[in-house]
Amino acid sequence: MNIKQKPLYKMVAADEEIIFVVEDNANVRGAPGTPHYKVKFIAEIYLTIGGNATSTLPSDKIATLKASPNNAGVGIFDFSRILEAYVSPDYLGGETIFWSGVQYYSKYNQSNYSDARPHSIHQIDEFSNSRKGVRNFAIKFSIEYATTRTGTVISGSGVTSRSYYIHNAVRQEDDILAIDSRTGNFGYNYDMNNYVLNDISGKFLTNCPYVQYIGNADFHTFAFFQESGEATMSNSLYGWKVGSSGATIKSPKLINIQFYYNDSTTGSVITLQNRVGTGGNFTNGTAAMAKIEFVGVGTGNIAASGNTVPANWDYYTVIAYDDVVDQISDTYYFYNQSVCKGFEKFRLTWLNRLGVWDYFNFTKKNVRKVNSKRETYQQLKGTWNEETYKKHGYKGGRKTFSTNSKEVITLQSDFITEEAAAWLEELFTSPDVFVLQERSTDQGSPAIGGYEKNIINKYVQPCIIASSSYIRKTTANDKLKQYTLEIEMSHNKRIQKA
């Protein structure tokens, strides 16, 4: 048996076609004069988060598929619909790595994540890996057939694919794919699209502009690929290795943040080190959960980690470096964004097309309204079950039995660039959108030592996009570009029943 076609790269997106073609001419056709019957190709799917799926452990098997040979005598499988069910967005912090007998966690306010002290992925002090967004998988192929029309089916020898990874990204139909002219294998090359951090044009896993705007206490995370040292394109995870040519470990090692005021640096450079103690995982391992890493780069994250946000600053930069301190990313600029007096800021975060999170502030005229739908009934006047009939002003007439109320908010952006206008299309089409509140002191009850804290529902509130269309504005057509977006909060307002 032979795997005739497979994905070109070892990292695939959840909704793209994950095509494998297998052939076994001898067992499909049989010997001259003794053809084979009831021929089926068998594909067993193995999937794991912490190990290597090529071990084909029984506990890792999630499905078994069968396909008849087509007219060309091969079996064609698309595993995308099954595998996509096993990846999902990362909403929370949590466990990161078990290292030298110690379980490590992401942190917020320098405290480990726990069920009693949870935090969202947006709030991480420094680093956190992806617990939900990446899985390692492999396919074990075999064949079954009978030597007579009514004979018993027997199994032939098989072959196991190499190790692959699937992550919670989407692939557009017009995305340009790479193809190997020797094999015909094809796939999306992340490196050719600059999503691999290995030189000064490297991007984090976002299509956001390199210039961002942020308040004094806003949360913001970037995500990045790591742990890939393959030097040949067709054998790599992402199309090429992570880190510069001189890097020892093929992962980003440092994230440097530098504040500026009046065109000069202010304060020392803040260096976030990708290591187990900060929630990171700086190794060359096979674990799926460490292939994508998050890093907190917002002002709220910086302050929570114990670093200082200067009292006066105009902007700060974010740059990634490897373990030989070679710059492996482009420079991202975060400008200090103030809100005009009387306006309310709304910061939205949404699941982007690479399966991680983007952020944007709406700082202009934002209008709240409540839409209500009421169920009513007619109440009798007076008292009918007492010794005498009494009339009271509060009884009788049309009454409200229940009220279903939703808050709808119309948001308005500041004037933005054409690049930002194109990027915000991802917000409009995202299936997961949240209102993200600024970092503030988590109030505790002093009577019992501050152990009871008001943190549940404090920072992240779900919503949906209520606007039905999005017009991408351009400089040529629209000159100044400003967007209005309507969101509906996901939870009903709770109101007493009559």
Side-chain angles (χ1 to χ4, degrees), residues 384-399:
W384 294 87
N385 199 32
E386 298 183 11
E387 290 184 353
T388 60
Y389 178 82
K390 305 182 185 69
K391 292 190 70 173
H392 299 293
Y394 70 87
K395 288 182 68 69
R398 192 181 181 194
K399 299 286 186 178

Side-chain angles (χ1 to χ4, degrees), residues 18-22 41-43 65-67 75-79 141:
I18 304 175
I19 301 293
F20 285 79
V21 179
V22 289
F41 290 105
I42 304 171
L65 306 180
K66 295 185 179 183
I76 301 179
F77 294 88
D78 180 3
F79 299 110
F141 295 100

Side-chain angles (χ1 to χ4, degrees), residues 140-154:
K140 183 179 180 180
F141 295 100
S142 59
I143 193 169
E144 66 179 23
Y145 57 90
T147 55
T148 65
R149 292 184 184 277
T150 58
T152 302
V153 170
I154 60 176

Side-chain angles (χ1 to χ4, degrees), residues 5-7 12-22 41-43 45 62-68 74-85 137 139 141 166 173 186:
Q5 186 178 0
K6 57 191 176 185
V12 297
D15 78 330
E16 69 177 293
E17 296 168 319
I18 304 175
I19 301 293
F20 285 79
V21 179
V22 289
F41 290 105
I42 304 171
I45 308 174
I62 61 170
T64 300
L65 306 180
K66 295 185 179 183
S68 299
V74 300
I76 301 179
F77 294 88
D78 180 3
F79 299 110
S80 57
R81 298 285 79 84
I82 294 175
L83 291 170
E84 69 176 355
F137 73 94
I139 314 296
F141 295 100
I166 183 171
E173 291 291 348
F186 61 88

Side-chain angles (χ1 to χ4, degrees), residues 207-209 212 348 350 353 358-362 412-430 433 465 469-473 481-485:
N207 293 312
C208 74
Q212 294 284 288
L348 297 188
W350 66 94
R353 291 173 183 174
D358 280 343
Y359 306 82
F360 186 81
N361 286 340
F362 289 84
Q412 190 176 63
S413 74
D414 204 339
F415 295 105
I416 61 175
T417 65
E418 188 170 327
E419 183 184 12
W423 165 59
L424 285 179
E425 182 183 317
E426 294 192 26
L427 164 60
F428 179 77
T429 59
S430 177
V433 184
I465 301 297
S469 63
Y470 179 85
I471 299 174
R472 184 185 294 185
K473 299 181 180 181
K481 293 164 287 296
Q482 190 176 32
Y483 279 88
T484 298
L485 189 70

Side-chain angles (χ1 to χ4, degrees), residues 21 43 49 92 150 211 233 250 272 335 342 361 370 382-383 415 489:
V21 179
I49 184 173
L92 299 172
T150 58
V211 174
M233 293 179 63
K250 301 305 180 181
L272 307 180
Y335 280 83
N361 286 340
V370 176
T383 58
F415 295 105
M489 302 308 293

Side-chain angles (χ1 to χ4, degrees), residues 250-283:
K250 301 305 180 181
S251 296
K253 175 65 173 176
L254 309 171
I255 305 294
N256 281 0
I257 300 172
Q258 177 64 66
F259 283 86
Y260 293 81
Y261 183 61
N262 289 337
D263 292 325
S264 298
T265 60
T266 178
S268 301
V269 63
I270 297 171
T271 297
L272 307 180
Q273 293 195 42
N274 184 7
R275 54 187 178 87
V276 295
T278 62
N281 189 2
F282 183 67
T283 63

